[in-house]
Amino acid sequence: MSIVDNRKAFHDYFIEERFEAGIVLEGWEVKSIRAGHVQLKEAYVIARNGEVFLFGSHISPLSTASTHITPDPVRTRKLLLKGEEIKKLKAKVDRSGYTMVPLNLHFQRGRVKCEIGLAKGKKQHDKRDTEKQRDTQREIQAAMKQNRR
């Protein structure tokens, strides 16, 4: 069950590979995510010292959040991956010029998971080609729908 998708990532990058990671969250963050108060638009992923972190994701605190803590909506969150996966990601980013971007947040067996994509940046002409293909597909679907009637 998807919570939020990072549409900007699909617009700006070619997604080559996908990985699923757990996220280290605080209690108020889980409640906010369940309420849908999360944004991945400006988020990115970095690997440092054998660990992977999610930067720039914004989780808005609920008004009913606890009074004894001060919530930080854009704090750095640790992502949980296996050691082999972290090494593979780091090697591809360092050698091949890939970027790691968060693609979506979703629930899996009651836990919040983050899907990470190994991505290559699109050039401006690639973005225009993608838009043209999308428009063509939309026109084809509309024409097929019109013919059925």
Side-chain angles (χ1 to χ4, degrees):
M1 187 171 111
S2 183
I3 302 165
V4 65
D5 290 324
N6 188 356
R7 292 185 187 146
K8 188 175 180 187
F10 292 100
H11 182 264
D12 292 342
Y13 300 100
F14 292 113
I15 308 300
E16 305 277 327
E17 260 184 275
R18 295 171 184 241
F19 294 90
E20 188 176 69
I23 309 175
V24 177
L25 296 171
E26 295 177 357
W28 69 269
E29 291 174 326
V30 175
K31 290 180 181 181
S32 292
I33 288 172
R34 286 191 184 279
H37 296 276
V38 62
Q39 184 177 349
L40 289 176
K41 195 173 191 177
E42 301 296 324
Y44 56 99
V45 178
I46 287 185
R48 280 192 192 151
N49 302 329
E51 296 178 329
V52 181
F53 297 96
L54 178 65
F55 286 94
S57 63
H58 189 278
I59 300 176
S60 302
L62 296 174
S63 59
T64 58
S66 181
T67 57
H68 67 280
I69 59 166
T70 54
D72 181 13
V74 288
R75 76 176 182 90
T76 303
R77 294 165 181 92
K78 185 176 177 182
L79 296 176
L80 305 172
L81 287 164
K82 293 185 177 179
E84 298 167 10
E85 291 176 330
I86 293 172
K87 287 177 188 173
K88 183 177 179 180
L89 283 168
K90 187 149 178 62
K92 288 224 176 180
V93 168
D94 291 342
R95 288 190 205 123
S96 306
Y98 284 96
T99 305
M100 291 185 286
V101 291
L103 300 177
N104 73 9
L105 290 179
H106 59 276
F107 288 116
Q108 189 174 50
R109 291 188 222 116
R111 306 227 192 278
V112 179
K113 301 287 183 174
C114 179
E115 188 173 18
I116 301 169
L118 258 175
K120 283 237 187 216
K122 284 186 182 178
K123 303 273 191 275
Q124 189 63 37
H125 61 85
D126 292 330
K127 293 177 187 178
R128 284 193 292 265
D129 290 342
T130 303
E131 283 185 33
K132 284 180 188 175
Q133 289 174 352
R134 195 177 305 127
D135 290 343
T136 305
Q137 285 296 327
R138 197 175 298 133
E139 290 172 5
I140 290 170
Q141 291 297 327
M144 289 176 66
K145 191 174 183 181
Q146 196 83 34
N147 288 340
R148 286 187 208 150
R149 292 181 183 175

